[in-house]
Amino acid sequence: MNIYLKDVSEQDLSLLFEFQNDPIANNMADFPAREREAFYQHWQQNIFANDQGIAIGIWHNNLLVGHLVSWVNLELATPDEPEVRLIGYWIGRKYWGQGIATQALKLFLQQYITSPVYAYIDAQNQGSLKVAQANGFVDVTPQYPSLFTKDNLLIFKRDSLKS
């Protein structure tokens, strides 16, 4: 499988907007699509301008098929883990079920992440759950009962030493 990662550029945002604007994907992730202007503003202000953030495009056979992002979340910080890193990923629907997300996340974790990392995943999103579990994430939801805004939201963690 010819998958590689490279930084997301402003030129990539048009296609990434289309991926996140898919109602079936939005339903699966239980995450609403942003309007075009809000989407671009979010990327400019919260992703590209975030010094602790990482935004990587997922490329398969020389086509952009999705992205991975990572950022520091202070809400999860504890004295034992003062800097808690979260990840998120989004794959265009026509690329689902091909192992692309699993392989891309594996590469991302190997190349960019050196500490434990967390992911919020909707309980009904079986594809995303499989991707996370295949990459060593485990459900730690009971350890964070105060962080839930939705009953169906799960928190997964991957320690840095797992592969």
Side-chain angles (χ1 to χ4, degrees):
M1 189 175 309
N2 184 16
I3 295 173
Y4 61 95
L5 308 177
K6 71 177 187 177
D7 291 345
V8 171
S9 71
E10 289 200 37
Q11 292 79 19
D12 299 328
L13 294 182
S14 177
L15 184 54
L16 296 180
F17 171 77
E18 295 304 322
F19 292 156
Q20 74 84 45
N21 202 36
D22 179 336
I24 293 172
N26 297 135
N27 185 53
M28 180 67 64
D30 196 17
F31 193 85
R34 289 182 171 95
E35 296 293 329
R36 185 176 297 275
E37 185 176 324
F39 177 84
Y40 280 85
Q41 184 176 29
H42 171 75
W43 273 84
Q44 291 297 328
Q45 294 177 356
N46 299 322
I47 299 175
F48 291 145
N50 183 341
D51 291 338
Q52 295 180 314
I54 304 167
I56 301 297
I58 301 168
W59 293 78
H60 177 252
N61 294 331
N62 296 319
L63 296 173
L64 179 63
V65 299
H67 73 276
L68 295 134
V69 290
S70 181
W71 66 99
V72 173
N73 183 314
L74 299 176
E75 291 177 345
L76 290 173
T78 67
D80 293 333
E81 285 186 82
E83 182 177 292
V84 175
R85 184 160 285 283
L86 279 159
I87 60 133
Y89 41 89
W90 199 281
I91 304 290
R93 184 164 41 107
K94 70 180 180 180
Y95 305 104
W96 291 359
Q98 300 175 39
I100 295 170
T102 300
Q103 183 64 30
L105 182 55
K106 179 181 179 181
L107 291 171
F108 184 74
L109 293 168
Q110 290 171 344
Q111 296 174 21
Y112 296 94
I113 304 298
T114 59
S115 61
V117 64
Y118 295 80
Y120 290 110
I121 302 174
D122 188 277
Q124 57 113 18
N125 190 340
Q126 292 300 307
S128 190
L129 291 169
K130 288 177 184 176
V131 168
Q133 291 166 337
N135 279 284
F137 283 81
V138 295
D139 187 350
V140 294
T141 304
Q143 296 174 29
Y144 299 95
S146 65
L147 293 179
F148 291 100
T149 56
K150 299 179 185 178
D151 291 336
N152 54 337
L153 190 64
L154 304 173
I155 300 176
F156 278 75
K157 179 181 181 182
R158 179 187 181 270
D159 287 318
S160 57
L161 300 177
K162 293 184 180 176
S163 57

